[in-house]
Amino acid sequence: MIKEIKVIKHNGKQYIPDLRNVKLRAPFRGRPEISTAKVDEQALADICPLGAISVNPVSLDMGKCAFCGECSFAFPNKIKFTQDYKTSSNIRENLIVKEGDTNAISFCKDKIRNEVRKTFGKSLKLRQVSAGGDNSCETELGAAGNANFDMGRYGIEFTASPRHADGIVVTGPITENMAEPLRIAYDAIPEPKIFVLCGVDAISGGLFADSKAINRSILKDIKVDLFIPGNPSHPLTIINGILDLTRKFMK
Ligand code: SF4
């Protein structure tokens, strides 16, 4: 017994006590900032393999960005990535960072359905569907529930069946073969339910956006409640995004 207590004391706390105020360090890349410095904008946009950068004025769409850092390496005076991991939003347009923006990514509270906070404010069970994912976001979703991040402390957990779930978290670009299974899983969840897109592939199709092998038609008739950027998304981005969506008073 004494030995076990010594081991616990030696190991210290395994969990992160305050998931809302963790300080991450570089090279983690979170919310980008774009300065007003004059550069060859087209050359900057051409660097991005995912078409995440628009010009005149310059903006960067985190829903398309793989956070590879190439643009900031080539134009360090124009684009830098902060370590701000709170980049999720319930509004797709809020993921687009414009020149001169230094504000945190915001949620539009008015657009959150009443039943979401009323029903899922203390407990939320999610079903994860990998719709052609590469196992990166899936791994981070798993990490969100590990001993360090311990998402379960907020009553947020993954279930094995959509029938026991309150919502779906989609990863991957939604391939043709996974379009129907995703629809079946979504339909199997009882109302009210939420629909979450996790990672650049799910949000925009990512590198596969123009591929004939994907079928994103489901997004035409389902309202997305939460967009979680990243490639893959960081567990802190995932957890804070879900908390901002479902919890009313958490700072
Ligand atoms: S960090 Fe994002 S915006 Fe910049 S080049 Fe990579 S994918 Fe494109």
Side-chain angles (χ1 to χ4, degrees):
M1 183 70 178
I2 301 281
K3 197 175 155 202
E4 278 78 21
I5 290 171
K6 277 185 181 166
V7 170
I8 291 168
K9 206 173 164 198
H10 174 76
N11 286 346
K13 283 192 183 115
Q14 294 295 295
Y15 67 99
I16 301 167
D18 184 3
L19 293 177
R20 303 290 268 174
N21 294 296
V22 179
K23 296 261 180 284
L24 291 183
R25 287 184 295 224
F28 171 77
R29 295 186 198 101
R31 176 177 54 80
E33 287 182 354
I34 307 171
S35 77
T36 50
K38 296 274 174 245
V39 296
D40 181 344
E41 294 186 3
Q42 199 51 54
L44 171 63
D46 289 346
I47 282 178
C48 182
L50 291 154
I53 298 175
S54 301
V55 299
N56 198 24
V58 176
S59 64
L60 193 160
D61 184 353
M62 285 194 295
K64 293 182 178 174
C65 174
F67 294 83
C68 66
E70 286 301 321
C71 53
S72 61
F73 300 151
F75 293 88
N77 61 337
K78 187 68 181 169
I79 295 190
K80 72 167 185 172
F81 285 89
T82 69
Q83 280 68 56
D84 179 4
Y85 49 83
K86 292 180 185 172
T87 49
S88 300
S89 181
N90 60 334
I91 304 293
R92 176 68 180 87
E93 289 71 36
N94 287 0
L95 304 186
I96 301 173
V97 175
K98 302 187 184 74
E99 221 169 43
D101 278 357
T102 53
N103 295 332
I105 302 301
S106 61
F107 259 72
C108 189
K109 303 262 157 79
D110 300 343
K111 296 265 165 75
I112 299 174
R113 289 175 288 136
N114 280 342
E115 66 260 34
V116 170
R117 287 197 162 163
K118 216 166 134 190
T119 317
F120 308 131
K122 289 189 177 147
S123 168
L124 177 68
K125 307 297 171 206
L126 295 164
R127 169 69 188 167
Q128 201 268 309
V129 175
S130 178
D134 56 11
N135 214 24
S136 57
C137 278
E138 293 82 347
T139 303
E140 299 301 337
L141 284 164
N146 71 15
N148 292 123
F149 296 103
D150 188 21
M151 181 170 69
R153 76 180 84 173
Y154 300 111
I156 306 166
E157 289 167 340
F158 289 98
T159 65
S161 164
R163 292 196 189 281
H164 302 155
D166 303 310
I168 281 220
V169 180
V170 183
T171 53
I174 314 181
T175 54
E176 182 69 55
N177 286 348
M178 281 305 294
E180 194 183 348
L182 175 59
R183 167 69 73 173
I184 292 169
Y186 180 77
D187 289 344
I189 298 176
E191 296 282 356
K193 53 190 164 187
I194 62 169
F195 191 75
V196 178
L197 297 178
C198 181
V200 62
D201 291 345
I203 295 174
S204 66
L207 271 176
F208 311 99
D210 298 324
S211 168
K212 288 185 184 142
I214 67 172
N215 177 355
R216 296 171 61 78
S217 57
I218 192 171
L219 300 178
K220 288 189 188 134
D221 43 48
I222 291 179
K223 183 194 176 309
V224 179
D225 293 287
L226 182 63
F227 300 90
I228 306 176
N231 187 43
S233 309
H234 193 284
L236 289 171
T237 311
I238 296 166
I239 296 168
N240 279 283
I242 296 173
L243 291 176
D244 283 334
L245 178 73
T246 56
R247 308 293 150 104
K248 215 168 182 175
F249 302 113
M250 283 194 78
K251 290 264 187 285

